[in-house]
Amino acid sequence: MSENPDEKLGIIERLRRGLPAPELSYVADREGIGVEEIVSGIVKGEIVFPANRCFPLKQKPCAIGRGLRTKVNANIGTSTEVHDFNDELAKLRVAVDAGADTVMDLSTGGPIAEIRKALLAVSPIPFGTVPAYDLITRFCGNGNSIHKAVVDDFLKVVEEHGEIGVDFVTVHAGLTTEALSLLKSEGRIAGIVSRGGSFIADWMLHNGKENPYYEYFDELLEIARKFDLVLSLGDGLRPGAIKDGTDKAQIKELSTLGELEERALSRGVQVIIEGPGHIKLDEIETNVRLEKELCHGAPFYVLGPIVTDVAPGYDHITSAIGGAIAASHGADFLCYVTPGEHLRLPTEADVREGVIAARIAAHAADLVKLGERARRWDDSMSRARFRRDWEAQIRLALDPKQAGALSGKEIEKGEGCTMCGDYCSYKVSERILANKGDSK
Amino acid sequence: MSENPDEKLGIIERLRRGLPAPELSYVADREGIGVEEIVSGIVKGEIVFPANRCFPLKQKPCAIGRGLRTKVNANIGTSTEVHDFNDELAKLRVAVDAGADTVMDLSTGGPIAEIRKALLAVSPIPFGTVPAYDLITRFCGNGNSIHKAVVDDFLKVVEEHGEIGVDFVTVHAGLTTEALSLLKSEGRIAGIVSRGGSFIADWMLHNGKENPYYEYFDELLEIARKFDLVLSLGDGLRPGAIKDGTDKAQIKELSTLGELEERALSRGVQVIIEGPGHIKLDEIETNVRLEKELCHGAPFYVLGPIVTDVAPGYDHITSAIGGAIAASHGADFLCYVTPGEHLRLPTEADVREGVIAARIAAHAADLVKLGERARRWDDSMSRARFRRDWEAQIRLALDPKQAGALSGKEIEKGEGCTMCGDYCSYKVSERILANKGDSK
């Protein structure tokens, strides 16, 4: 650790006391807004700034929440089946290159502590984890189960992640005995699909005890305060099938997360709320509004949502549909889903496609949420298109590499494209409407 | 032609007279509804059945409109830059194989009449065209322009397409002098992006005359009646940039299409209404509701919509977002957009990706529009997933080829997948919740 964690306050407390937070200027500049908007959002709990305060600021920090650009997270990490150190470092580079705002290491296979440290050491973007996975990997396997973990183990893994410099952690603190009993009566098709959630539920049911992250939430907050660790309150009961979406269990957990959010904020701990999952397209708006109501405007971090179960191999698209709709209604943070979700651990190519699809969804939503501030990009692109300026179109493209790869021939010719050839509507428009577009 | 066109009536007139239409049974069966629903929809103009009545029924006909599965069209065809006969035949096969419901040949390069006939001869699905492209290719090029075409030419190309067996044609009949003058005052970034629309506007402005398809709409209806040709009333002024979306010119044209739709229906001619285009995500619902109001519930056929301008190379995704939202609010027919839209004429691979993305959008919307009728598929998939039945997951996948390609390793192992490895939430759920899912 670079400094004594007790000597400094978390960002909420600093801002509440009117102390300076120069690290927010970079973020405000990148958003194109005044720093006071971000300060006000953080104090109200509507914006988070994930940055472990015991470690140097990441090269590209970001803030997440109301009034800001929708952010994109990429999940990487090993599993028991696939765990190559270099693969994960490569995936991190691909995710950053493709424009991910944050990354989460979800490793559960191989030397996970070493992999995590290696990734953390080079990540230029805020870094998240799910500490409960350490419980799973330590206690399970070889015929053993999570049953023998004790409450202290649940808290210790979170502290360990803070100590190495993690910026935000998922903790499934709303998965209570009550929510679990609702779930059992729902008759879901897909049960619990959250990995952390399923193992915590297993522990709870076997030991007949409440979820330690819920019961000892104050202790969890103390740990979070030490590092200014952002708590991403996970939805262990998120639906994993369209039919299971927006049921009593899911909403009970969300409601509990709202109570925990208030307690965290009062202690100066930053909170994100996690959301679904598989839900029908027309349930997305309700889910977002409910989160904003029940969780007092806290940033909403959705996994997808995935709007149909039937397209394995294309879940970057099913989730781009859901993510765009969710963010347009106020979700703040999209966890990417890769084409191979439901089929395999993502490859480098999957990571790239996942990040790009989520960024498309985020920007489509930002056109709604942020208006002209977001639309300037589209206007520049459309002007370049109207004047057949291929170089500008490639440069402005959300993914210049892909746009360049598909348009090589056109750039050489400098005019028109193979789509319309000689019969280009832009050329006709330009001539008959005397509309040259702006010069930019 | 296989029979005398005057001896038979169009389907609307047959159904109005209570005559049988046995060809609808296949369609009703595929939709899983009673044939009377389809009959009632066709008579009201809310459903169309594109099938040139002078030619044998296609192998896989379909109906399009209210209460039915959202349909997907694939555009294929040559341009002046790229025109290989075999490429287009291959694209047709790919489109059908990927699950397109209809196909449109938009050829403007090479021996287009021969290409069209060759495609028509083998197409197992309803076949559409844009007859005005024949005007463009006949009159333009080598320093000539469309200006010299006469009214008769505009009508003749439509008749020619009916005569060879085309099932539905796009005609930009709502692009009036008044709509055009509104457009000129809008100061659009991208002007007119409809190819047919831009050339018709050129003809109108140069000759100082009204659009022949509008002025001689009755004559157009007579031609359509001959073949029971479905008129897809095109939106020549559709927006081609986010900023240009939902402007006065676009809405004026839509309103005119609504008037034409009434006239067509009263003459027993089936009509589809075409819609945008590039529009902001939160304008999509309004566009669909407006179409349904102004055009009396006629089937709405949207091109995308594309929800951001900045993602060339990924416009199958930008349009899947828009298409899913449009269809969930009532759009009936999605024209696919390929990854390379804005960059190049689609390749075979582009066609495949475009069809699949549009089908994902269509099905996500059908979960909203059709409820359990659509959801059975998702439920079966989720049950297969819960029991880790990889064979069933691949078989049930919207694109089994892609799902199979990404999951080869898992099927061999027969249990779990590389994503969670040993720590599979389904296995935990199954054990702790005693929820085995249904047997199906």
Side-chain angles (χ1 to χ4, degrees), chain B residues 45-46 66 261 271-273 291-292 295-300 332:
Chain B
E46 295 178 351
R66 193 182 298 260
E261 184 270 341
V271 165
I272 292 168
I273 306 293
E291 187 276 340
K292 290 291 174 188
C295 304
H296 321 96
F300 196 26
D332 307 280

Side-chain angles (χ1 to χ4, degrees), chain A residues 36-117:
Chain A
E36 65 286 353
E37 276 187 61
I38 295 179
V39 167
S40 149
I42 292 175
V43 168
K44 281 191 269 184
E46 295 179 350
I47 290 177
V48 297
F49 181 70
N52 188 313
R53 71 177 176 76
C54 302
F55 286 79
L57 200 60
K58 295 278 183 302
Q59 194 188 326
K60 294 180 180 176
C62 70
I64 302 161
R66 192 183 298 261
L68 307 181
R69 230 178 5 91
T70 303
K71 302 304 186 297
V72 167
N73 175 74
N75 285 340
I76 60 173
T78 61
S79 72
T80 50
E81 307 287 323
V82 179
H83 45 82
D84 183 298
F85 225 91
N86 292 321
D87 279 358
E88 298 311 318
L89 284 166
K91 285 185 209 168
L92 173 60
R93 280 192 298 271
V94 166
V96 172
D97 179 64
D101 297 289
T102 67
V103 65
M104 290 187 81
D105 169 34
L106 307 187
S107 289
T108 56
I112 61 173
E114 287 69 28
I115 290 171
R116 188 184 304 136
K117 277 184 196 159

